[in-house]
Amino acid sequence: MDPAWWVTGFLIASWCYLGCLGSVKGLLSDIRIRWPALLIATLSLMVLWHIRATVLPGLSLHLLGATLCTLVFGYRLALFPLTATLLLAQFTAAGDWRTLGLNACILVLWPVAISRLVAYLVDRLPSNLFVFIFVGGFFGGAAVVVSTGWLLTLTLWLTQLYPWGPLLEDYAAYWLLVAFSEAWLTGMLLTVMVVYRPALVRMFDSTRYIDNA
């Protein structure tokens, strides 16, 4: 891979992380309040990311969990379990650490950004509980996985690591199957949480979706 990709990845990732973290004082306060849930989410994601299917030499598919993390914790706190999981995956896979910035952009920052965009769009839709669950959770989770998988496919092709034909037929297409699993898992867990513990879902307004329904 051209070193320019590594440098660009680190620069973009650094700029995004610094911009997302914002006020350190407020961030530390959030972490102190929600650290048990963050720890559970991190451990769950570590297991989820290691359940993978290899489709091409050096390439595998796995669920992301980014949409649920973003809806539950907000986009800033969601970065912590996802980043910790990425670091562990990079370490256990004996990957090239020079690609860490690029991987963070594609597998952490991009999914969180798309999840936040989906949540923004859901907030403009009618105040209905099923809209939040199905559009924000089910379809949102699927959209995040498909867009992430296809962005990763495009990046692999642009860096000339793999030819376009095998990437399109044996890699990009299979992300649609992963998207269905992600949608089902996100929708199911989100439903359970908004029904039994709505206070834990930061981006869920119980007054709007339940009390005023």
Side-chain angles (χ1 to χ4, degrees):
M1 183 184 296
D2 190 330
W5 285 94
W6 305 331
V7 175
T8 303
F10 273 108
L11 290 176
I12 295 176
S14 300
W15 181 76
C16 290
Y17 274 104
L18 289 175
C20 290
L21 295 181
S23 172
V24 176
K25 183 178 179 180
L27 185 63
L28 292 177
S29 177
D30 283 344
I31 294 175
R32 185 167 56 252
I33 294 172
R34 307 204 65 180
W35 73 264
L38 286 170
L39 179 60
I40 293 173
T42 302
L43 295 176
S44 301
L45 286 175
M46 288 178 178
V47 174
L48 198 66
W49 279 39
H50 279 80
I51 302 175
R52 59 184 70 182
T54 301
V55 292
L56 286 174
L59 293 181
S60 59
L61 305 168
H62 61 79
L63 300 177
L64 295 176
T67 301
L68 186 63
C69 279
T70 304
L71 292 175
V72 171
F73 298 114
Y75 74 95
R76 295 205 306 166
L77 286 184
L79 294 176
F80 285 88
L82 289 167
T83 303
T85 303
L86 174 63
L87 291 173
L88 179 65
Q90 191 95 7
F91 176 77
T92 55
D96 190 343
W97 287 95
R98 292 173 295 184
T99 64
L100 182 61
L102 196 58
N103 286 333
C105 290
I106 298 175
L107 298 175
V108 176
L109 295 169
W110 173 264
V112 170
I114 299 301
S115 299
R116 190 184 181 194
L117 175 61
V118 171
Y120 173 83
L121 296 176
V122 170
D123 196 49
R124 267 72 187 154
L125 295 176
S127 302
N128 187 287
L129 178 61
F130 292 100
V131 170
F132 181 84
I133 292 174
F134 283 101
V135 179
F138 191 90
F139 293 106
V144 167
V145 167
V146 170
S147 64
T148 301
W150 289 355
L151 176 62
L152 183 56
T153 301
L154 181 62
T155 303
L156 290 170
W157 176 64
L158 291 175
T159 54
Q160 299 181 352
L161 294 177
Y162 293 87
W164 180 248
L167 278 175
L168 186 62
E169 296 177 4
D170 300 327
Y171 190 65
Y174 287 107
W175 279 104
L176 296 173
L177 298 177
V178 179
F180 177 79
S181 301
E182 178 92 5
W184 179 83
L185 181 63
T186 302
M188 179 188 67
L189 293 178
L190 188 63
T191 301
V192 173
M193 295 187 72
V194 298
V195 170
Y196 294 102
R197 299 295 295 274
L200 293 179
V201 184
R202 168 163 290 184
M203 304 190 77
F204 177 73
D205 187 347
S206 57
T207 302
R208 173 185 175 185
Y209 287 105
I210 298 178
D211 297 344
N212 296 334

